[in-house]
Amino acid sequence: MIPTNTSGLRRYMEKDERIAVMQVFSDLCDQAKSVIGSSPYTHTELDFRPVAEKLSSGEPEDAWENLKVAVAHCGKCKLCSTRNHTVFGEGVIHPLVMVVGEGPGAEEDASGRPFVGRAGQYLDKWLASIGLSRETNVFIGNIVKCRPPENRVPEPDEIAACIPYVRKQIELLQPKLLLLSGSTAAHALLERVEGVGKLRNQTFDYHGIPTVVTYHPAGVLRNPEYRRPVWEDMKRIAQILGLPILGKS
Ligand code: URA
Ligand code: SF4
């Protein structure tokens, strides 16, 4: 436990020692900040403390574990006040494909797991059609890690606060391909404004990673006319990665 409260320290430490301890804590906060990322929100000790404690625990530096701790305790945007669970994402490390959706829905908020509701089960089927699954070769995450109330689209300030986490996840996971599902993920990570209809059928380069855009499974459940384009997108991904096309189940 790191003492961070100067009056608490005063009782048993000389001034020089107190300054040294506060300096160590401040350095740890700077390190924690590089894990948490910048945001338009004021960082409080609440954001830094769990990460700073992890960094000072003497355990070997593990950027992925630090990131998990940072997300689990995050208070960088207003979505922290209505969430039940943060949803970090799940799947394998160094996956073939990393899928990025929009944000947790009700089932995800209740369970802390990504894409477990109806849309998620549908997404799993798309992936299975080309031999992909979160158990073997996929990591699934979201642009925002906390559920927006009533499943509304995340607001620009929330995306700005949360996006450093997904960028860091991509950097650490180094997937062979990035699949952006829906316009929120595509707009946020590619910094483009066109609709999915315009962005699909292209392969973008996200920091050296081939990146494909497709519709969001919730949107496809509502609009069956998107089923065929999604199937075309899955086949194109299979082709890029040299995967077998197993077909729709
Ligand atoms: N929709 C998303 O975008 N992400 C989830 O995790 C679930 C539904
Ligand atoms: Fe933090 Fe992201 Fe949750 Fe906002 S949505 S509180 S930035 S984890």
Side-chain angles (χ1 to χ4, degrees):
M1 193 65 142
I2 305 161
T4 55
N5 164 334
T6 0
S7 62
L9 293 178
R10 198 167 291 140
R11 268 186 259 121
Y12 62 94
M13 271 186 191
E14 296 303 323
K15 188 176 175 206
D16 286 357
E17 284 178 303
R18 284 202 315 266
I19 291 170
V21 166
M22 292 310 288
Q23 186 58 51
V24 168
F25 184 69
S26 156
D27 290 347
L28 285 165
C29 282
D30 285 346
Q31 284 183 51
K33 193 171 177 181
S34 75
V35 174
I36 292 168
S38 59
S39 97
Y41 289 85
T42 313
H43 295 289
T44 65
E45 191 197 315
L46 270 185
D47 295 325
F48 293 131
R49 193 174 183 114
V51 184
E53 282 183 0
K54 190 102 207 325
L55 290 168
S56 73
S57 68
E59 290 166 28
E61 182 75 22
D62 183 333
W64 187 249
E65 288 304 314
N66 289 342
L67 193 59
K68 276 190 189 168
V69 173
V71 169
H73 295 87
C74 184
K76 287 204 295 166
C77 85
K78 57 187 175 300
L79 297 180
C80 73
S81 60
T82 44
R83 72 180 178 223
N84 288 303
H85 290 99
T86 56
V87 180
F88 183 74
E90 72 180 19
V92 303
I93 303 293
H94 300 312
L96 270 183
V97 174
M98 174 166 174
V99 182
V100 182
E102 179 176 282
E107 288 95 337
E108 292 77 20
D109 176 63
S111 65
R113 296 180 55 207
F115 278 106
V116 289
R118 195 159 160 249
Q121 290 163 25
Y122 193 32
L123 172 68
D124 283 338
K125 281 194 181 172
W126 299 357
L127 298 173
S129 72
I130 54 169
L132 297 171
S133 78
R134 59 180 103 190
E135 287 81 28
T136 58
N137 49 17
V138 171
F139 187 90
I140 302 182
N142 281 303
I143 294 291
V144 294
K145 311 301 190 204
C146 303
R147 181 191 184 202
E150 312 300 330
N151 295 351
R152 64 162 169 73
V153 175
E155 292 171 357
D157 58 335
E158 296 156 359
I159 294 175
C162 210
I163 204 159
Y165 293 134
V166 78
R167 289 194 190 280
K168 189 81 180 179
Q169 286 179 313
I170 300 167
E171 180 193 322
L172 295 173
L173 290 174
Q174 286 296 317
K176 296 280 179 269
L177 184 139
L178 203 49
L179 174 58
L180 307 180
S181 181
S183 58
T184 299
H187 293 169
L189 284 170
L190 296 177
E191 295 172 353
R192 302 280 293 238
V193 295
E194 301 95 321
V196 173
K198 282 258 161 57
L199 296 171
R200 57 177 292 276
N201 268 327
Q202 306 180 54
T203 305
F204 295 92
D205 178 319
Y206 176 88
H207 297 264
I209 301 167
T211 300
V212 172
V213 174
T214 195
Y215 293 102
H216 189 285
V220 185
L221 286 170
R222 285 192 303 268
N223 302 282
E225 70 272 21
Y226 293 152
R227 275 190 219 159
R228 178 172 291 273
V230 165
W231 174 231
E232 297 300 323
D233 294 338
M234 291 302 122
K235 285 194 288 189
R236 199 162 71 80
I237 291 169
Q239 199 181 28
I240 296 170
L241 294 173
L243 294 168
I245 296 168
L246 304 174
K248 295 175 241 186
S249 56

